[in-house]
Amino acid sequence: MRRWVKAAVAATVCVALGGWFAVPYAQGWWNTLDPCDGALPSDAVRELVPDGHHVTTERTRHVERLGSMSCVILLEETELGHAWLLEADAFTRRDDQDRELMSAFSDQGFEAQSPLPDGLPGFRDRANNVVLRLPCPALGNDASGRPRTMLVNFTMSVEVHFEEPRRAPYEAAVAFANSSSKNLGCGAEPLEVPDEDRLPSSPPDPEHPRTVPLSEVTGATCGWLTEAELPRTRTWRVSVRSNGDGPTGRCDVDTPVDAYDETDAGMTFFAWYGDWSRRLVTQDGTLRDMTATARCRGEAAHFALRYAETVPGLDPRAQRNLLKRFARNETHRRDCSGLRFHW
């Protein structure tokens, strides 16, 4: 009799659990218990799931000999197939990294980007995805003598960006980078999620960045602008587009023309770090005018100035002086050498 009772109870529990797991949202909870083989924190992934959706599938791929690791998390199926939540990729091979960076920066490389909080070596690209580049001391140098690195691309669906939580994207991206570094033998110093007060209060908008008066950038990555000889016929505002730790550096200088802070004239100072960036400043194999080059951490670095023709008082001499200030500030902060200008 006791055996019969135990069997009946066990069967009831199994049926109850089976019914519970059949509920889509219960399945979604179960599918986020250990996302990406533990590479992503479950709480952060659940926060990223938009309201009304649930996780149905996660796929992880790790090929150490190819220096790559990836994870894809899918939501429920729609008429167009599975909706996706996020995709995270890590690469230690140079060709893979170059491909990813060339995709983020096409043509002359002035695509929109937003800074990451200080301490995270990267940026958010024009699609608002998190891009990180870390040194890999455990992998030594490549065949060309360049220090090996690891590039992480953390891509989120458009729906996530509409209701993006404040902390979860950084928790997930940092956790994936740290896990990838360990699994791929990179040996990078573990990243930490910035404190709450250093996180942006709202999702960044690479196409419409926040600007501040020129006086407020003193000491920041673009603080050199406060001592630069900017045309005095305008009231300038600055958008700091990089944190000084990633594979790019950028300072935008604009002038508001109405209450919505839209701009009609401005300048963009851009730095790209890595041999991959040479194509951004060359034409037919020759360096373009108003650019500069240097060597930083064993790789090439390139600097350029783009400006609107409507900026008054920006003659060739003023352009050269501004580019010199920007490039010298960047190379000083990053301990670069061999700075050369191309007019």
Side-chain angles (χ1 to χ4, degrees):
M1 183 66 178
R2 290 179 180 175
R3 287 182 180 178
W4 180 86
V5 171
K6 289 180 180 179
V9 171
T12 301
V13 170
C14 288
V15 170
L17 285 175
W20 184 75
F21 279 117
V23 178
Y25 293 95
Q27 291 178 338
W29 179 87
W30 183 261
N31 290 332
T32 56
L33 274 180
D34 193 34
C36 299
D37 292 341
L40 297 179
S42 57
D43 289 344
V45 171
R46 288 174 189 148
E47 273 197 68
L48 291 174
V49 177
D51 292 341
H53 296 271
H54 58 276
V55 172
T56 59
T57 309
E58 66 97 10
R59 302 169 186 161
T60 305
R61 184 172 179 266
H62 170 211
V63 186
E64 187 171 359
R65 63 185 178 84
L66 295 180
S68 67
M69 180 173 172
S70 63
C71 171
V72 177
I73 297 182
L74 302 178
L75 302 175
E76 68 278 5
E77 193 166 3
T78 67
E79 294 179 356
L80 301 177
H82 278 285
W84 65 282
L85 175 67
L86 64 85
E87 179 178 354
D89 299 283
F91 307 99
T92 59
R93 293 201 312 179
R94 184 73 55 171
D95 289 348
D96 294 327
Q97 295 184 32
D98 289 354
R99 182 192 65 243
E100 293 294 307
L101 290 169
M102 287 178 185
S103 175
F105 298 102
S106 59
D107 193 21
Q108 295 185 11
F110 287 96
E111 281 81 1
Q113 70 173 55
S114 297
L116 292 179
D118 289 344
L120 298 183
F123 59 92
R124 297 188 74 153
D125 65 16
R126 62 183 182 275
N128 232 342
N129 303 311
V130 177
V131 180
L132 299 165
R133 195 185 192 197
L134 294 77
C136 291
L139 295 179
N141 296 340
D142 63 15
S144 300
R146 300 170 298 190
R148 297 281 297 278
T149 60
M150 180 179 72
L151 188 80
V152 173
N153 196 340
F154 189 80
T155 306
M156 296 170 285
S157 71
V158 174
E159 287 191 345
V160 172
H161 293 313
F162 285 142
E163 301 178 6
E164 183 179 310
R166 184 176 185 184
R167 189 174 180 84
Y170 302 104
E171 288 180 332
V174 164
F176 183 77
N178 291 339
S179 179
S180 298
S181 174
K182 181 179 179 180
N183 290 327
L184 298 177
C186 170
E189 286 288 329
L191 298 176
E192 295 183 0
V193 181
D195 295 334
E196 197 75 18
D197 60 354
R198 291 164 53 201
L199 296 176
S201 57
S202 59
D205 183 351
E207 297 293 343
H208 301 92
R210 174 177 172 265
T211 64
V212 297
L214 184 61
S215 59
E216 293 186 16
V217 297
T218 303
T221 307
C222 302
W224 62 273
L225 283 164
T226 60
E227 299 178 357
E229 296 178 2
L230 295 174
R232 298 182 180 278
T233 55
R234 299 280 180 138
T235 301
W236 298 104
R237 294 181 67 86
V238 179
S239 173
V240 180
R241 300 277 201 122
S242 62
N243 62 11
D245 297 319
T248 65
R250 178 168 175 172
C251 301
D252 287 11
V253 190
D254 295 295
T255 174
V257 294
D258 61 24
Y260 296 99
D261 201 27
E262 295 177 353
T263 59
D264 68 343
M267 296 169 281
T268 298
F269 300 87
F270 222 128
W272 304 273
Y273 295 94
D275 293 343
W276 61 274
S277 63
R278 179 175 172 80
R279 66 180 180 85
L280 300 177
V281 296
T282 57
Q283 186 172 8
D284 299 327
T286 303
L287 286 164
R288 290 188 284 107
D289 292 341
M290 206 55 62
T291 61
T293 60
R295 298 293 296 178
C296 303
R297 299 173 186 172
E299 290 193 86
H302 297 97
F303 312 90
L305 162 63
R306 184 180 67 174
Y307 60 93
E309 294 183 358
T310 53
V311 177
L314 197 62
D315 58 30
R317 177 181 172 277
Q319 297 169 28
R320 290 193 294 268
N321 287 340
L322 288 170
L323 180 59
K324 283 179 181 179
R325 277 190 173 271
F326 170 66
R328 286 169 178 166
N329 178 72
E330 286 285 316
T331 54
H332 175 74
R333 288 191 309 100
R334 298 191 185 230
D335 196 24
C336 305
S337 61
L339 178 61
R340 297 174 59 188
F341 296 92
H342 306 272
W343 311 127

PDB file of all heavy atoms in Angstrom, residues 7-18:
ATOM      1  N   ALA A   7       4.201   5.775  -5.335  1.00  0.00           N
ATOM      2  CA  ALA A   7       4.175   5.819  -6.795  1.00  0.00           C
ATOM      3  C   ALA A   7       3.150   6.826  -7.281  1.00  0.00           C
ATOM      4  O   ALA A   7       3.386   7.572  -8.247  1.00  0.00           O
ATOM      5  CB  ALA A   7       3.871   4.432  -7.362  1.00  0.00           C
ATOM      6  N   ALA A   8       1.992   6.857  -6.606  1.00  0.00           N
ATOM      7  CA  ALA A   8       0.946   7.793  -7.019  1.00  0.00           C
ATOM      8  C   ALA A   8       1.394   9.234  -6.809  1.00  0.00           C
ATOM      9  O   ALA A   8       1.169  10.107  -7.657  1.00  0.00           O
ATOM     10  CB  ALA A   8      -0.343   7.514  -6.231  1.00  0.00           C
ATOM     11  N   VAL A   9       2.050   9.470  -5.655  1.00  0.00           N
ATOM     12  CA  VAL A   9       2.540  10.828  -5.374  1.00  0.00           C
ATOM     13  C   VAL A   9       3.588  11.229  -6.388  1.00  0.00           C
ATOM     14  O   VAL A   9       3.580  12.340  -6.926  1.00  0.00           O
ATOM     15  CB  VAL A   9       3.110  10.901  -3.947  1.00  0.00           C
ATOM     16  CG1 VAL A   9       3.829  12.240  -3.738  1.00  0.00           C
ATOM     17  CG2 VAL A   9       2.008  10.734  -2.919  1.00  0.00           C
ATOM     18  N   ALA A  10       4.526  10.310  -6.678  1.00  0.00           N
ATOM     19  CA  ALA A  10       5.582  10.605  -7.651  1.00  0.00           C
ATOM     20  C   ALA A  10       4.987  10.895  -9.016  1.00  0.00           C
ATOM     21  O   ALA A  10       5.413  11.824  -9.724  1.00  0.00           O
ATOM     22  CB  ALA A  10       6.562   9.436  -7.742  1.00  0.00           C
ATOM     23  N   ALA A  11       3.985  10.117  -9.409  1.00  0.00           N
ATOM     24  CA  ALA A  11       3.348  10.338 -10.709  1.00  0.00           C
ATOM     25  C   ALA A  11       2.650  11.684 -10.752  1.00  0.00           C
ATOM     26  O   ALA A  11       2.703  12.408 -11.756  1.00  0.00           O
ATOM     27  CB  ALA A  11       2.348   9.206 -10.985  1.00  0.00           C
ATOM     28  N   THR A  12       2.000  12.026  -9.622  1.00  0.00           N
ATOM     29  CA  THR A  12       1.306  13.314  -9.561  1.00  0.00           C
ATOM     30  C   THR A  12       2.290  14.473  -9.691  1.00  0.00           C
ATOM     31  O   THR A  12       2.049  15.452 -10.403  1.00  0.00           O
ATOM     32  CB  THR A  12       0.530  13.440  -8.228  1.00  0.00           C
ATOM     33  OG1 THR A  12      -0.402  12.355  -8.149  1.00  0.00           O
ATOM     34  CG2 THR A  12      -0.213  14.766  -8.165  1.00  0.00           C
ATOM     35  N   VAL A  13       3.423  14.338  -8.986  1.00  0.00           N
ATOM     36  CA  VAL A  13       4.447  15.379  -9.053  1.00  0.00           C
ATOM     37  C   VAL A  13       4.977  15.507 -10.467  1.00  0.00           C
ATOM     38  O   VAL A  13       5.170  16.616 -10.999  1.00  0.00           O
ATOM     39  CB  VAL A  13       5.596  15.074  -8.070  1.00  0.00           C
ATOM     40  CG1 VAL A  13       6.779  16.028  -8.320  1.00  0.00           C
ATOM     41  CG2 VAL A  13       5.115  15.193  -6.641  1.00  0.00           C
ATOM     42  N   CYS A  14       5.234  14.368 -11.131  1.00  0.00           N
ATOM     43  CA  CYS A  14       5.760  14.403 -12.497  1.00  0.00           C
ATOM     44  C   CYS A  14       4.771  15.062 -13.448  1.00  0.00           C
ATOM     45  O   CYS A  14       5.151  15.874 -14.304  1.00  0.00           O
ATOM     46  CB  CYS A  14       6.071  12.982 -12.985  1.00  0.00           C
ATOM     47  SG  CYS A  14       7.526  12.255 -12.192  1.00  0.00           S
ATOM     48  N   VAL A  15       3.491  14.716 -13.270  1.00  0.00           N
ATOM     49  CA  VAL A  15       2.482  15.325 -14.132  1.00  0.00           C
ATOM     50  C   VAL A  15       2.409  16.825 -13.882  1.00  0.00           C
ATOM     51  O   VAL A  15       2.324  17.639 -14.815  1.00  0.00           O
ATOM     52  CB  VAL A  15       1.103  14.667 -13.886  1.00  0.00           C
ATOM     53  CG1 VAL A  15       0.012  15.455 -14.597  1.00  0.00           C
ATOM     54  CG2 VAL A  15       1.120  13.230 -14.366  1.00  0.00           C
ATOM     55  N   ALA A  16       2.479  17.220 -12.593  1.00  0.00           N
ATOM     56  CA  ALA A  16       2.411  18.644 -12.254  1.00  0.00           C
ATOM     57  C   ALA A  16       3.607  19.394 -12.827  1.00  0.00           C
ATOM     58  O   ALA A  16       3.457  20.471 -13.415  1.00  0.00           O
ATOM     59  CB  ALA A  16       2.359  18.808 -10.734  1.00  0.00           C
ATOM     60  N   LEU A  17       4.787  18.795 -12.660  1.00  0.00           N
ATOM     61  CA  LEU A  17       5.970  19.442 -13.201  1.00  0.00           C
ATOM     62  C   LEU A  17       5.920  19.500 -14.719  1.00  0.00           C
ATOM     63  O   LEU A  17       6.296  20.484 -15.341  1.00  0.00           O
ATOM     64  CB  LEU A  17       7.237  18.702 -12.750  1.00  0.00           C
ATOM     65  CG  LEU A  17       7.649  18.930 -11.294  1.00  0.00           C
ATOM     66  CD1 LEU A  17       8.840  18.037 -10.944  1.00  0.00           C
ATOM     67  CD2 LEU A  17       8.000  20.386 -11.052  1.00  0.00           C
ATOM     68  N   GLY A  18       5.417  18.417 -15.322  1.00  0.00           N
ATOM     69  CA  GLY A  18       5.304  18.410 -16.781  1.00  0.00           C
ATOM     70  C   GLY A  18       4.379  19.497 -17.265  1.00  0.00           C
ATOM     71  O   GLY A  18       4.660  20.199 -18.244  1.00  0.00           O
TER      72      GLY A  18
END
